[in-house]
Amino acid sequence: IKEYGGNDYRHFKHEVDDSGADSLTMETALRQALNEEQFHLVFQPQIDLASERVVGFETLLRWQHPELGMVPPDTFIPLAEDTGLIIPIGEWVLRTACHLARDLKAQSIAVNLSARQFHQRDLVSLVAGILEETGMPAQTLELEITESALMFDMEAAVITMSRLGKLGVRISLDDFGTGYSSLSYLQRFPIDTIKIDKSFVSGMQTDAGSSAIVNAMIAMSHSLGLQVIAEGVETEAQRDSLRERGCDQAQGYLFSRPLPFEQVVNGPDART
Ligand code: C2E
Ligand code: CA
Ligand code: CA
Ligand code: CA
């Protein structure tokens, strides 16, 4: 929280927590953010551990509020979910990511979907329409969803995922291991990639439990034919250990922070 401009942010949070018009204030602010182009996307490189090459990017949403500065997504995404504004915001994210994808020249662009977005009725046609409109190859798009989004309604989730799969879109399971899902559910869902949550990566070298869980996730994913990506990789020791354990890909501050579009396209010296 510190890094997001201290007092301003605390003031905002206070306002949101205590005032009677809380959710209304927030809803108005989020609506304004969408209409006044206060959102932008940043892109975090995903690295193939064997070759150390960038194979894709995860798209992350940023809200630059004119007075409050950068508002972290962990704060406003849940509120956007509650107010339903995640639907138009999520559509903006998807469309913008697909528009920018061509210039990013990556094999894979991952976009986060919240539970409510994933279960919106016309998700598949929305995705299909955006792919057509932007000319982005479906194979380039990866949608990241969390376990809780799947557990909410498993039958519906399987149908939606299969339809997305038929389009050619890939699906990854985000924050894997932090939710409730049993490992046996995994084979029921048409998933392409498992993302090992950063809590396991950071615990891996000091905590025997985390270490065992990481090994189990990699072994199980590979035996089901899934790719594995580790998130939140911050040290060379973590990178080396993950490579030795057979993890396919990694992302994290060790390789790069999430970058503005201009820096991905024009290199690190580009002005933003
Ligand atoms: P997430 O999908 O699990 O994204 C990973 C978060 O970890 C990102 O935080 C990223 O900046 C951060 N991160 C990356 N590498 C490292 C590292 O080495 N160490 C540490 N400590 N952190 C690292 P961010 O961008 O603040 O996003 C937070 C969450 O907000 C995301 O978690 C995701 O759940 C949500 N979010 C972000 N953008 C979107 C979006 O466009 N749509 C939806 N629905 N949710 C989003
Ligand atoms: Ca994610
Ligand atoms: Ca994650
Ligand atoms: Ca997370």
Side-chain angles (χ1 to χ4, degrees), residues 59-75:
T59 303
L60 294 156
L61 182 58
R62 294 290 177 265
W63 179 11
Q64 181 74 45
H65 188 280
E67 281 116 48
L68 302 165
M70 198 66 88
V71 184
D74 282 332
T75 322

Side-chain angles (χ1 to χ4, degrees), residues 58 74 112 144 146 174-176 178 197-198 231:
E58 179 178 358
D74 282 332
N112 291 283
E144 298 196 1
T146 58
D174 204 356
D175 302 343
F176 187 65
T178 60
D197 189 70
K198 56 175 172 270
E231 61 178 21

Side-chain angles (χ1 to χ4, degrees), residues 255-257 259-272:
F255 306 103
S256 173
R257 298 219 163 221
L259 302 169
F261 174 74
E262 293 75 12
Q263 275 187 31
V264 176
V265 174
N266 302 322
D269 298 330
R271 304 192 50 192
T272 56

